[in-house]
Amino acid sequence: MDTLHDLLYGFSVALQPGNLFLVFVGCFLGTLVGVLPGIGPVGAISILLPMTFQMESAGAIIMLAGIYYGVMYGGSTTSILVNVPGETASVVTCLDGYRMARQGRAGPALGIAAFSSFFAGTIGLIGLQLIAGPLATIALKFGPPEYFAIIVLAFTFITFLSRGSSLKAGIMALVGLILSGVGLDPITSQQRMTFGILNLFEGIGVAPLAMGLFGVAEVFNNLETVVFKKSLAVKIKDIFPTRLDWLQAKWAIVRGTLVGFFLGILPGGGPVIATFIAYGVEKATAKNPERFGKGAIEGVASSESANNAAASTSFIPLLTLGIPPNVVLAVLLGTFLIHGVLPGPLLIKEHPDVFWGLVGSMYIGNAVLLILNLPLIPLWVQVLKIPDKILYPLILLFCLIGAYSINNNVFDIVVMVIFGIVGYLFRKTDYEGAPLIMAFVLGPMVEVNLRRSLLISQGSFSIFFTRPIALGALLVSLVLVIFMYRSFRKRNRSDHTIGELEKTTNSGL
């Protein structure tokens, strides 16, 4: 009954006229960002973050969260109609969704994507509502050693589950940790890596850094990429799936929801990995796996349900432990801190309006997205026709205005531009920006909890091995590091063997 009472309180916060309007704004902007290729939720939240500075904390977080899960919905529309994923988590939807559209079944594909997203998102929210309270109670018993070990585990998972090279992801995380140390020492207040620059005394701002790495760098990258936005000349009809469609897709929705539910909680997991794994599970368990990639409705259902379930449950570690499981929520963590709200085990007690208001707004937003998405499909198709020469200058303009408005300081614009160029170079060399921003946000937490632990133990590292939770987290991290090292050695050995064979072949010729 307490949970029901708290949820009703959350609805009372979310249904306030101002917050309800922000739910609509967040969902609409999120869907728009999902439709436009390349921008993504990180760039969108980074660009719009300065707009929230004059808002109340609950309203600001409600709007930015709406952008996040709105993107998960919007990306499926262009994946199905245009074969261009609006964001990375919608890549898998292209495989079968676009094939269905070419077969004249764009309506059922869009319909099953919307309904499976709604179902999975709702199940994820129920999990968030039920798990968050008990997990926060357990987290209250955590001390600095436990938090340090869990954050180290999060770093390891992020590196282990990165889409590219684990070595490159580790390097980027190390760069993020170094950057997080710029400014004044949190315990002694000594200057660190400020080089006498007054603007660096408070450290590098997360908003200019994120806008540069993801917003500006994305624009630079897209300027040299040709994206074909040719939409299908089909009439969208029969949006409601048939009985046969439901029979084929029902278990795919359930399995995709379960995969997304658990991978969303996992640090470094999130919607992207969840969609690929859910699609793989569905194909492996299918009676006719050859149908996948040729217009199987189960492929659309599994990827979209995993996508949205993971988006909902990824809020669990952020809200209860203060540890963001993916890069989008790392930027959202910055929003919490800017508004003076500290996510963690005391969030529900100290800021119930923020926690339960967010949960209530996500239920409302889930329904809003279902109502908005299908009728607005013709609008989103027209949005895709906006010329790049108009779209990208507007994005850069919003980035410049946003960076300056944070502190009314030109230095933040300089930081954003520098990291925009650096982010562009990282993309050209296949270095991901996500581990860097995650390490940048979590770096101060790692340092403070490590130093507090050593102060408690009078300099002895044994404190990490006498606490069961801390020891368990560090052991899992060690196992993952060993596994990554062995995979790296195996890959190098394989590359060396291929190189030797090529040399032998060339010398023989």
Side-chain angles (χ1 to χ4, degrees), residues 50-61:
M51 290 175 54
T52 67
F53 292 165
Q54 302 303 318
M55 299 180 186
E56 292 186 1
S57 54
I61 292 164

Side-chain angles (χ1 to χ4, degrees), residues 24 66 77 88-89 91 163 167 197 200 207 243 276 341 346 387 391 432 456:
F24 277 91
T77 302
T88 313
V91 170
R163 295 191 298 273
L167 178 61
I197 300 173
L200 289 177
R243 184 173 180 273
F276 281 95
V341 178
L346 294 176
L391 179 63
E432 297 180 48
I456 292 170

Side-chain angles (χ1 to χ4, degrees), residues 279-322:
Y279 188 84
V281 168
E282 208 53 42
K283 189 174 181 179
T285 57
K287 293 182 179 179
N288 300 305
E290 64 277 1
R291 292 177 55 248
F292 283 76
K294 299 178 182 178
I297 197 168
E298 305 98 295
V300 177
S302 62
S303 61
E304 285 301 308
S305 55
N307 187 357
N308 287 271
S312 297
T313 57
S314 61
F315 280 89
I316 294 174
L318 172 67
L319 298 177
T320 58
L321 301 176

Side-chain angles (χ1 to χ4, degrees), residues 30-240:
T31 307
L32 175 62
V33 169
V35 168
L36 293 171
I39 300 175
V42 181
I45 292 174
S46 302
I47 293 168
L48 296 173
L49 178 59
M51 290 175 54
T52 67
F53 292 165
Q54 302 303 318
M55 299 180 186
E56 292 186 1
S57 54
I61 292 164
I62 283 171
M63 187 186 81
L64 295 181
I67 292 173
Y68 175 42
Y69 56 80
V71 168
M72 300 300 114
Y73 271 79
S76 63
T77 302
T78 48
S79 295
I80 292 168
L81 294 180
V82 194
N83 203 28
V84 177
E87 43 83 37
T88 313
S90 297
V91 170
V92 180
T93 306
C94 292
L95 300 178
D96 287 287
Y98 185 65
R99 294 293 180 275
M100 288 182 67
R102 289 182 65 88
Q103 296 163 10
R105 305 194 68 226
L110 291 166
I112 204 70
F115 289 117
S116 59
S117 297
F118 176 78
F119 173 81
T122 302
I123 296 298
L125 286 173
I126 293 171
L128 167 62
Q129 178 186 336
L130 296 178
I131 295 174
L135 188 59
T137 302
I138 295 171
L140 284 171
K141 301 178 181 179
F142 286 8
E146 285 79 11
Y147 270 107
F148 170 76
I150 289 172
I151 297 170
V152 169
L153 179 60
F155 275 134
T156 312
F157 266 121
I158 292 162
T159 306
F160 180 68
L161 295 174
S162 62
R163 295 191 298 273
S165 165
S166 296
L167 178 61
K168 289 183 176 181
I171 292 172
M172 292 296 282
L174 181 60
V175 172
L177 281 173
I178 294 171
L179 291 174
S180 71
V182 175
L184 299 180
D185 186 290
I187 294 179
T188 65
S189 295
Q190 294 291 317
Q191 295 182 34
R192 301 188 304 191
M193 295 181 285
T194 60
F195 308 104
I197 300 173
L198 185 64
N199 288 300
L200 289 177
F201 280 23
E202 294 183 3
I204 298 171
V206 65
L209 175 65
M211 280 190 282
L213 278 179
F214 296 97
V216 177
E218 189 65 45
V219 171
F220 290 164
N221 190 59
N222 284 335
L223 287 176
E224 62 179 34
T225 304
V226 178
V227 178
F228 297 97
K229 301 180 181 179
K230 184 180 179 181
S231 59
L232 284 171
V234 295
K235 187 175 181 180
I236 300 170
K237 56 183 180 179
D238 301 327
I239 289 179
F240 286 91

